[in-house]
Amino acid sequence: MKTQETTAHAGAGRIAAMDPARQACLLLRTVFTAAPVLFGLDKFTNVLADWTDYLAPVATAVVPVTPQAFMYGVGIVEIIAGIAVAVRPRFGSVLVAVWLLGIIVNLLVLGSFFDVALRDFGLLVAALALNRLAGSTAASGRGR
């Protein structure tokens, strides 16, 4: 029992002792891996939301499929983006940022959900911050 407690405490201590830039990179990488994958999977189940409500009609005019089929494609791209962040955070973070920009444009064209568009703008900035951190030697652990 004491060994497990010591091991768990040592793991928490290692994270706390990390450089703040490395901690920030780890936090952002974790969120931008998990969130796109989870939201992407939900495009197939619509448990969290009816995602077609957030789709501007012009999207299905450009890509002539049903709104739900369009959202299946969106889900696939989101899952790929999350995996890309996990594997190659510098590339994946740019992919997520561009994807979020597309979502923002879609919401602005839709003419509603401006609060969600503003939130996604904040996420876009955070994805760009991950890109900068993932390229730094301090955040990646290569510098020390």
Side-chain angles (χ1 to χ4, degrees):
M1 180 74 148
K2 188 165 185 109
T3 304
Q4 290 176 341
E5 289 175 13
T6 305
T7 304
H9 185 338
R14 262 194 309 272
I15 292 171
M18 272 187 206
D19 177 69
R22 192 163 181 206
Q23 289 176 350
C25 188
L26 179 63
L27 286 168
L28 290 169
R29 188 174 182 180
T30 301
V31 168
F32 284 116
T33 295
V37 170
L38 293 173
F39 286 128
L41 290 171
D42 195 59
K43 299 302 187 288
F44 295 91
T45 62
N46 291 314
V47 171
L48 297 174
D50 181 357
W51 295 103
T52 59
D53 290 346
Y54 296 94
L55 186 61
V58 71
T60 54
V62 172
V63 181
V65 296
T66 66
Q68 188 57 55
F70 192 94
M71 295 317 278
Y72 291 152
V74 167
I76 291 168
V77 172
E78 288 176 340
I79 292 166
I80 291 168
I83 293 169
V85 170
V87 176
R88 300 218 16 198
R90 283 198 74 191
F91 167 75
S93 60
V94 173
L95 179 61
V96 167
V98 170
W99 189 250
L100 285 163
L101 181 61
I103 293 170
I104 292 165
V105 169
N106 171 73
L107 293 172
L108 294 175
V109 169
L110 185 59
S112 58
F113 302 112
F114 297 117
D115 56 333
V116 178
L118 182 60
R119 181 213 52 206
D120 285 353
F121 178 74
L123 290 170
L124 184 151
V125 172
L128 294 175
L130 173 59
N131 178 264
R132 297 293 297 147
L133 287 169
S136 76
T137 55
S140 66
R142 295 185 305 251
R144 294 182 189 198

